[in-house]
Amino acid sequence: MKPQAVYNSFFTAVHVITCIHVFKIIEMHFLFLVLLFCLVESKDLGNPYSVNNKIDEDSYINEENVDLKTLLKKMNGFESVIASQDEKLKTMSQTIESQNQKIGNLKRQVEKLEKDNENQLQDFNILKQRVKFLEDNCNAMIINQSYGIGPEEKNSKTIHEGNNNNETRVYQRSTRAVQSNHVAFTAYLDHALTHMGIGQIIVFNQVLINDGNGYNRFTGIFTAPVTGTYFFTFTLHVHNFINAKLVKDGDTLVAVAARADFTPGSQDQSSNSVVVQLNAGQSVWAQSYNNADKTVDGYEEFRLVTFSGFLLY
């Protein structure tokens, strides 16, 4: 074979082989592009934010922006409400503080009024003793006039009264001596004595006998017209309970405790007696003690509540 023919054959073979390789490379590139396209398409189809869903994505973003703006507005509104509530709380705190100050002032005023009331009560007790002093003198004068006895030697007694400063005032009480052995009395209560206070004198307002005019039915106090030894007795009737005592110028002589049970219609009666030495002008009466707001049940018909006394010698 000639060299030229060989060369042509070789060149042709190389050219064919080269074309085959180029074709295979083109084919591989084409397949790669197809595969890449498929991958991109499958990714876009599975993604809600793909190019095909661009309109929906923009719409969603716009809605989110609107919601965020609404939330921001609501938050600003809440902040305004909270600020307003804070102001109201501050105002309420100031009001409460002002009310506490007013309450403190009222408490101080009440304490002052209670103290003034206590002082007035002490002054009232002093006035009561002054009235008693005047009654004693009047009783002595009436007795003297009734028996035609003139002024005689005075028997003086000193009474110590404490005022609100615990100072001592001294009053001289004078009584006229009466020479008589006819001293006796009996008195009774003809009505219910309700809402009694502690230390209240029980006034037996009806008198059966009052020889010597020693008993005062308006005050409930017996004042000895003459010096001597006396006998006293008193009886109380209740539907609940009460503690009471006979006193001699404020000093306890004897006491009673009438206590009915708390069943409907229950009642109790209690009495006590004493023999005591009295100087002319000294006084004896019955009064409650320990329990307040109690009732003594007196009746005109039965005369269950009585106070009696007489001179023994």
Side-chain angles (χ1 to χ4, degrees):
M1 182 179 293
K2 294 179 180 183
Q4 183 65 35
V6 174
Y7 174 78
N8 289 334
S9 298
F10 175 79
F11 180 79
T12 300
V14 170
H15 180 71
V16 172
I17 292 170
T18 300
C19 289
I20 291 171
H21 281 286
V22 170
F23 179 78
K24 287 184 178 181
I25 291 171
I26 292 171
E27 184 182 12
M28 290 178 64
H29 279 79
F30 178 77
L31 290 176
F32 176 78
L33 291 174
V34 171
L35 180 60
L36 181 62
F37 178 79
C38 291
L39 290 174
V40 171
E41 281 295 317
S42 64
K43 182 177 182 181
D44 290 340
L45 288 174
N47 189 352
Y49 299 101
S50 63
V51 176
N52 293 332
N53 295 328
K54 185 66 177 178
I55 297 175
D56 292 338
E57 177 183 356
D58 293 339
S59 175
Y60 182 80
I61 291 172
N62 291 333
E63 290 178 358
E64 287 293 327
N65 290 332
V66 171
D67 290 341
L68 287 174
K69 290 179 181 179
T70 304
L71 287 175
L72 288 174
K73 289 181 180 180
K74 290 183 178 180
M75 288 178 66
N76 292 331
F78 287 149
E79 289 177 354
S80 300
V81 171
I82 291 171
S84 176
Q85 294 297 328
D86 287 338
E87 291 296 328
K88 290 181 179 179
L89 287 174
K90 289 179 181 178
T91 303
M92 290 178 65
S93 298
Q94 294 174 355
T95 303
I96 291 171
E97 184 177 356
S98 175
Q99 293 295 330
N100 288 334
Q101 292 178 353
K102 290 181 180 179
I103 291 171
N105 293 333
L106 289 174
K107 285 182 178 179
R108 286 189 289 273
Q109 292 178 6
V110 169
E111 291 174 356
K112 184 178 182 299
L113 290 173
E114 289 178 347
K115 186 175 181 180
D116 292 342
N117 183 57
E118 184 179 354
N119 294 336
Q120 290 176 1
L121 182 61
Q122 291 179 354
D123 293 340
F124 175 73
N125 290 332
I126 292 174
L127 290 174
K128 281 177 64 177
Q129 294 198 11
R130 289 180 179 175
V131 170
K132 186 174 180 295
F133 164 73
L134 294 174
E135 287 180 349
D136 291 343
N137 283 341
C138 290
N139 287 335
M141 293 175 64
I142 291 171
I143 294 170
N144 288 338
Q145 291 175 1
S146 65
Y147 285 97
I149 301 174
E152 297 183 22
E153 183 179 356
K154 295 181 179 180
N155 177 24
S156 298
K157 181 180 179 181
T158 300
I159 301 175
H160 297 279
E161 299 171 352
N163 62 9
N164 56 346
N165 294 321
N166 293 323
E167 296 176 350
T168 302
R169 297 178 183 178
V170 180
Y171 298 95
Q172 296 295 327
R173 184 176 67 189
S174 301
T175 59
R176 300 178 183 275
V178 178
Q179 301 299 325
S180 174
N181 294 326
H182 301 286
V183 181
F185 76 96
T186 292
Y188 66 92
L189 181 66
D190 66 353
H191 62 281
L193 193 59
T194 61
H195 305 294
M196 294 186 62
I198 298 175
Q200 179 177 336
I201 296 176
I202 301 172
V203 179
F204 303 81
N205 62 310
Q206 297 296 334
V207 175
L208 294 177
I209 186 173
N210 192 17
D211 290 346
N213 295 319
Y215 180 74
N216 188 327
R217 72 185 187 92
F218 298 104
T219 63
I221 297 173
F222 171 81
T223 302
V226 295
T227 298
T229 302
Y230 289 81
F231 172 85
F232 295 98
T233 184
F234 75 118
T235 302
L236 300 182
H237 174 264
V238 298
H239 285 90
N240 43 35
F241 69 91
I242 192 171
N243 295 325
K245 59 185 179 180
L246 279 181
V247 297
K248 168 187 169 184
D249 284 342
D251 297 328
T252 301
L253 296 174
V254 292
V256 298
R259 297 178 183 275
D261 58 31
F262 294 95
T263 58
S266 64
Q267 53 188 318
D268 188 28
Q269 194 170 27
S270 181
S271 63
N272 208 340
S273 303
V274 66
V275 175
V276 62
Q277 177 71 31
L278 294 179
N279 294 325
Q282 289 188 308
S283 299
V284 175
W285 64 86
Q287 70 178 47
S288 64
Y289 72 96
N290 282 352
N291 304 115
D293 198 27
K294 300 304 177 183
T295 300
V296 175
D297 298 299
Y299 301 94
E300 171 63 37
E301 181 180 2
F302 302 108
R303 301 175 182 177
L304 299 172
V305 181
T306 61
F307 180 29
S308 300
F310 56 86
L311 175 65
L312 290 173
Y313 54 85

